Structure formats: structure tokens, C-alpha cells
Amino acid sequence: MSVLLAGTIAIDNILTPDGIHHEELLGGSATFAAIAASFSSPVQLVAVVGEDFPREHLDLFGRRRIDTRGLDIVPGGRTFRWTGEYHEDMNSRETLETHINVLENFHPTLVDEYRRSRIVVLANMAPTDQLKVLDQCHEPAFVVADSMDLWINIARDELEMLLRRLDLFVINDAEARQFMETSNLITAGHRLREHGPRNVVIKKGEHGALVFGEDRFFSAGAYPLHTVIDPTGAGDTFLGGIAGHLAANAADGIAFGDICRAVVHGTVLASFNCESFSADRLLELSDEEISERTEEFRRFTTL
Amino acid sequence: MSVLLAGTIAIDNILTPDGIHHEELLGGSATFAAIAASFSSPVQLVAVVGEDFPREHLDLFGRRRIDTRGLDIVPGGRTFRWTGEYHEDMNSRETLETHINVLENFHPTLVDEYRRSRIVVLANMAPTDQLKVLDQCHEPAFVVADSMDLWINIARDELEMLLRRLDLFVINDAEARQFMETSNLITAGHRLREHGPRNVVIKKGEHGALVFGEDRFFSAGAYPLHTVIDPTGAGDTFLGGIAGHLAANAADGIAFGDICRAVVHGTVLASFNCESFSADRLLELSDEEISERTEEFRRFTTL
């Protein structure tokens, strides 16, 4: 089963704590999520880039099961750019510059075939754009979305509208606390569900993830990483990994346990993503490596 | 099998974020750890209090399987006192006052019978005092200790001496990062083992705990608590719970898996401890409640 996946494609510039600038990296929420999902299922990509977007990146999507007929390449436009700086062994980061460029006038229009996708993934972007995509879908079976602090601050109403239409909302710990105005993540998870999503996943980075369903709860650990090279896109990889796994393994209806197993798969993929800049590690990753780490993860978390 | 348990007994004063002072509470590392361990095994308590220590607290130990022949009651002395303030929904705390009182001249002397204890628990106190207790023990099978930032700062040499004699060292996340000079907890856990302890547990509060053994690793979640009334003593409860469980369930030699199962038991007891001030919740806790929550915990963390 295919996954319809909408989000941003970016060119990232990253300044690491050693003072080195890593420039012109392929980034964006849809990029990481699409590559991650494509390990398990075909992906129909909905995103926008400018005419400056390197051909090699387009080819990279083409070599995977990522259908780019839904990728809008704006003539004369410039691709969305993000510059960020990481601090303290890559544990905290700060946005230095954002040039939204072609994202400003993004009007996602779905290829007809995409509209009947059963699984719809709305990776992090403006909630209005997420809603525009969702409005074009015909009765999807499962809708999952991510968001970020920026949208909680400047587009809360649209985000609330989106939440009411989700089967799964994925958000990080700091954002869940801020959004639900509590420092208690368990309370935050339950409150988020009251805003609409049938299930909520709170991402905790090095501490794993919490899954909240109807009268159900699951706590997943993180894969233990000694060295984090670049966590950019780990959350998007996690999201894409979840969606791809659900599409491949739960075609007949998605139960809470399916979401939990998908979260473990997303966790494993996200751990690989932290081992390189951009999506480099994901792009060279084999199915065997994923299976081995998944097995290792189970040993690390099972009594 | 009995557990020999040494640590502090305190009278705590706690200021909560609502501005309320909670005064004259029974506290101290040995108090919480002994009560927690006593659910699974008899405890031989080694600690010191002043003549001001309330009789009702002594009775409370007597009503459990806690042998207080090793409790030194200093004539004319005053019991150790700690005053702390909690901030932000009980997520961070600050020590306002410490009066070490009788702890200053604590010379733990073990009752003969205690010296042959197979399991020795050195709850948080000065590493010199932990060493004094350990020096009096005859070939214990398993030695577990806790510590805190204060001793890392002012008694590092003694703490290092202690570490070389431990089967299990338990420490919280912030302290592990500080001590091992890394923000990466996985690196911190492995480095701590290089300082001597055969096994290391890093406590992460609401995020659970990480267990490091020889070529083994285990990640345990936390029990999901909506409301934290008072987390004081949760770490000590966790420690005591681990030790009691090991004494009761792994008499024939303690393997890595035994430690992991004990960590789950400690996690469950610590979650109860957060539900009240002092050790009130632990003191009214039934074995049935522990079993139920342990079962719930397994459901929450098993796929």
C-alpha cells in the first residue's frame, strides 16, 4: 500500500559545535519522512522546490520508491532554506535563518491517483498547507501529522482544525508541554487526545517515545547511540518510518499495537539518521541493518 | 535473605510550588530505601539519628521487617535536617538548608550479625561513611550504592575508591553527565563502568532508567504518573526496591537479567512514592497494589 506524503523539502546549512559549517545539505520534513517510509512502502510525494533544486537530489528520490509526480518545481523559484546551529554535543539547537522562498505560495495540488491514498502523512509544514492536502483526499483510512512550536505559536487555530481530523498526531516533548501548558508529559499526551487525534505520540529524542491511544498507553525506549553526528530530520524520519510500517503491515485496519510496532520501526530508522549529516546514512542503509538493529532494540527493551 | 542497608535518616521540610511548607516529614536515603526493600526482604538498618527523633518513626520501622539494632540514637544529638523547595510542577528542586547535625560524627559500627550480610546497600551519604560500612562487611556477594552531585564535587577521591568495590552503582542522569563530563548518557554509563562498578543504573526520573552491564544494556521506561505530589525519596525508594528484589529473587547469584527485573520492581515502588509526601504512600501500600502496577507496567512496555 502506498503512502501519500506531504511536507517540506529544504536546503539546510548546519553549524556544529566544532565551529564547522555544513552547507547545501538536502533537508526538509518530507525529504526525511519520504526516504524513511520508502523502506517499507511506495511513497507519493507532495512538496515544492525551486528551480535551483539540485538534479542529483531529484534523481535520489527516483532511485527509491518515491513517486515525484506530485513534486512542484517552481520556475525561477528558490528552494526553502534553513540554517541552524547545534550546541552542547548536538543536544540543543537554534534556528539562525529561515528563507521560506517557494513555500510562501505553495498550493499543493494532488495528482488524481494520490487522492485515493489510504494512508496520508502530513509532515511538518504550515497547518494551512497540511489542511489543503487533506482536503483533497478521499476518505483516507489513516491520517498522521507532525507539527512544531512555530505553528503552535502563530497558527494555533489551523493546527486545532487539523488535530480534529487526525488518527495520529506526532509531536516532540517540549512542544507537547508548551502546547498543553503542563510539564507532565502523561497529562500532555492525554490532553492532546482531547483536542481530536485518536492517537498521540510524544517524541522524547534520547528518551524514546510515549504512545497514547484510547485507554491504551505504550512507552518505547530509544536506541542507545554513543555518538550523534546530526539529529536534523530524526523526528521526520521517525514519522515516515511509522507511516511506512503501518502501510506495509496493517493494511486491514490499524490497531493500537500496530502503531506501537510502527513506533519501534520509526525509532530504529531515526537512530540511523542521527549517524550522519542530511539523509546520507538512510540512503546507504540496508534492510539487513534495519532488521539487526530492530532485533537489538527488542533485546534492549524486553525482560 | 536479609539486606544490610546504610544511609541517612532525616527530618525534611519541603516547600511546594503552591507556597505551602510541609514540615517535620520523615526523610533520608536510608528511610525510603529500607521501607522499599522491606516489601521483598528483611532489612538490617545502619543509620544515625538524634535524641529528637520521634518515637513514632522508630515504631514505624519496627512494624516492618526492619531491624533497628544498627540504628545509632545519639544522646543529646539532633537528627539530620534537610529543607528543599520544588519548582515547576515538582520537576526541579533546590536545597534551601542542610543541617547535618549527628551525621557529622557518624561512626557506623555494624552489629556482628550484620557483617555477614550477602547484599549490602549503601544509600546516598558521604562516600567515607559508605566505605566505613563496607569495610566492616565480610565478603558480601553484591554491593550496591547510590551517590549525589555533592559527593562528586567535594569527595571525588573517596567516591572513586567506593566505585571500584561495587557490583552496582545507581546515579541520576544529571549527575552521571556531570561526573563523566558528557551530555550523552550512553557514553556516561559505559564510562562509569570503567571506573569500577560491574553494573551501572542511570535513573532518568520520568524517562525511566538505563542499565549497563558487561556487554549488556537494558532500557526501562517509567510508570506514567499524571500527578507527582512529592518526588523526594523516589531515587532512594528505587534503590531499596532493587536491592530487596535481588535479595528475594536471586539468592543463587545475580545475573544481568535479575538486575533488570529488580529495576522494574524499583521503578514501580518509586512511582508509588511520588504519590505522597514522605513515605506515606509506601507505608500504606499492599502487595496486591504492587503486583497490579507491575503487571500494568509490563503491558505499557511490552509489544
Side-chain angles (χ1 to χ4, degrees), chain B residues 255-268:
Chain B
F256 185 77
D258 298 314
I259 296 174
C260 299
R261 280 179 287 274
V263 160
V264 168
H265 179 71
T267 298
V268 167

Side-chain angles (χ1 to χ4, degrees), chain B residues 79-93:
Chain B
T79 303
F80 167 49
R81 286 175 173 265
W82 176 78
T83 303
E85 178 176 1
Y86 281 89
H87 308 285
E88 306 165 42
D89 291 8
M90 313 299 289
N91 267 346
S92 70
R93 84 172 176 203

Side-chain angles (χ1 to χ4, degrees), chain A residues 88-89 91 177 182-187 190 204 206-207 217-219 221 224-227 260-261 264 298 300-303, chain B residues 88-89 91 177 182-187 190 204 206-207 217-219 221 224-227 260-261 264 298 300-303:
Chain A
E88 305 165 44
D89 291 9
N91 266 347
R177 288 188 169 109
T182 172
S183 64
N184 185 304
L185 288 178
I186 307 302
T187 303
H190 287 283
K204 305 193 294 174
E206 62 167 329
H207 301 303
F217 173 78
F218 179 68
S219 169
L225 281 179
H226 275 275
T227 309
C260 298
R261 280 180 286 276
V264 169
R298 280 182 208 279
F300 289 162
T301 56
T302 308
L303 276 183
Chain B
E88 306 165 42
D89 291 8
N91 267 346
R177 288 188 168 109
T182 172
S183 64
N184 185 305
L185 288 179
I186 306 303
T187 302
H190 286 283
K204 304 193 294 173
E206 63 168 330
H207 301 305
F217 173 78
F218 179 68
S219 170
L225 280 178
H226 275 274
T227 310
C260 299
R261 280 179 287 274
V264 168
R298 279 182 208 279
F300 288 163
T301 56
T302 308
L303 275 183

Side-chain angles (χ1 to χ4, degrees), chain A:
Chain A
M1 192 195 291
S2 287
V3 162
L4 171 70
L5 197 151
T8 66
I9 294 180
I11 301 295
D12 289 345
N13 291 305
I14 291 174
L15 177 57
T16 42
D18 52 13
I20 297 175
H21 290 268
H22 305 264
E23 300 192 333
E24 302 290 313
L25 304 173
L26 174 61
S29 63
T31 300
F32 292 103
I35 294 169
S38 71
F39 281 101
S40 312
S41 76
V43 174
Q44 298 166 329
L45 182 65
V46 175
V48 62
V49 294
E51 206 176 307
D52 61 340
F53 191 67
R55 180 79 223 173
E56 68 198 77
H57 296 334
L58 290 177
D59 293 345
L60 169 166
F61 291 129
R63 283 196 301 275
R64 307 186 69 88
R65 292 184 287 179
I66 301 174
D67 178 345
T68 54
R69 284 177 296 159
L71 180 64
D72 188 6
I73 303 173
V74 179
R78 275 177 66 77
T79 303
F80 167 49
R81 286 176 173 263
W82 176 79
T83 302
E85 178 177 0
Y86 280 89
H87 308 285
E88 305 165 44
D89 291 9
M90 313 299 289
N91 266 347
S92 70
R93 83 173 178 203
E94 183 186 351
T95 291
L96 299 179
E97 266 186 13
T98 307
H99 296 285
I100 62 170
N101 297 333
V102 291
L103 273 184
E104 182 153 19
N105 296 302
F106 183 33
H107 295 291
T109 307
L110 269 54
V111 180
D112 258 358
E113 191 188 325
Y114 288 13
R115 296 172 193 256
R116 272 173 299 275
S117 290
R118 303 285 291 152
I119 297 194
V120 175
V121 187
L122 306 166
N124 180 36
M125 62 177 165
T128 44
D129 290 337
Q130 293 175 310
L131 286 165
K132 281 181 210 163
V133 172
L134 190 51
D135 285 340
Q136 296 174 59
C137 297
H138 295 305
E139 301 177 15
F142 199 85
V143 182
V144 45
D146 194 354
S147 195
M148 71 184 291
D149 49 359
L150 176 67
W151 313 122
I152 297 170
N153 293 329
I154 70 169
R156 189 175 291 227
D157 290 349
E158 294 83 353
L159 181 54
E160 294 275 6
M161 282 175 61
L162 177 71
L163 289 183
R164 289 192 284 275
R165 299 170 66 179
L166 297 182
D167 296 284
L168 175 60
F169 182 49
V170 178
I171 187 168
N172 84 25
D173 44 4
E175 290 156 356
R177 288 188 169 109
Q178 175 200 347
F179 196 6
M180 293 297 107
E181 297 177 352
T182 172
S183 64
N184 185 304
L185 288 178
I186 307 302
T187 303
H190 287 283
R191 282 193 194 158
L192 279 165
R193 282 195 70 250
E194 289 166 11
H195 287 246
R198 286 178 42 229
N199 301 278
V200 167
V201 171
I202 297 182
K203 300 176 282 185
K204 305 193 294 174
E206 62 167 329
H207 301 303
L210 305 176
V211 190
F212 301 82
E214 186 168 4
D215 299 322
R216 299 292 297 273
F217 173 78
F218 179 68
S219 169
Y223 179 83
L225 281 179
H226 275 275
T227 309
V228 171
I229 302 293
D230 175 15
T232 309
D236 309 309
T237 302
F238 177 73
L239 179 79
I242 292 173
H245 196 269
L246 289 174
N249 297 288
D252 302 331
I254 293 171
F256 186 77
D258 298 315
I259 296 173
C260 298
R261 280 180 286 276
V263 161
V264 169
H265 179 72
T267 297
V268 167
L269 290 185
S271 74
F272 282 114
N273 181 64
C274 293
E275 294 179 352
S276 74
F277 286 95
S278 186
D280 293 356
R281 184 71 179 94
L282 293 180
L283 291 170
E284 61 167 33
L285 190 61
S286 70
D287 289 338
E288 289 68 33
E289 288 176 304
I290 297 172
S291 301
E292 272 172 32
R293 189 167 287 189
T294 304
E295 190 42 52
E296 212 183 351
F297 181 87
R298 280 182 208 279
R299 274 205 314 280
F300 289 162
T301 56
T302 308
L303 276 183

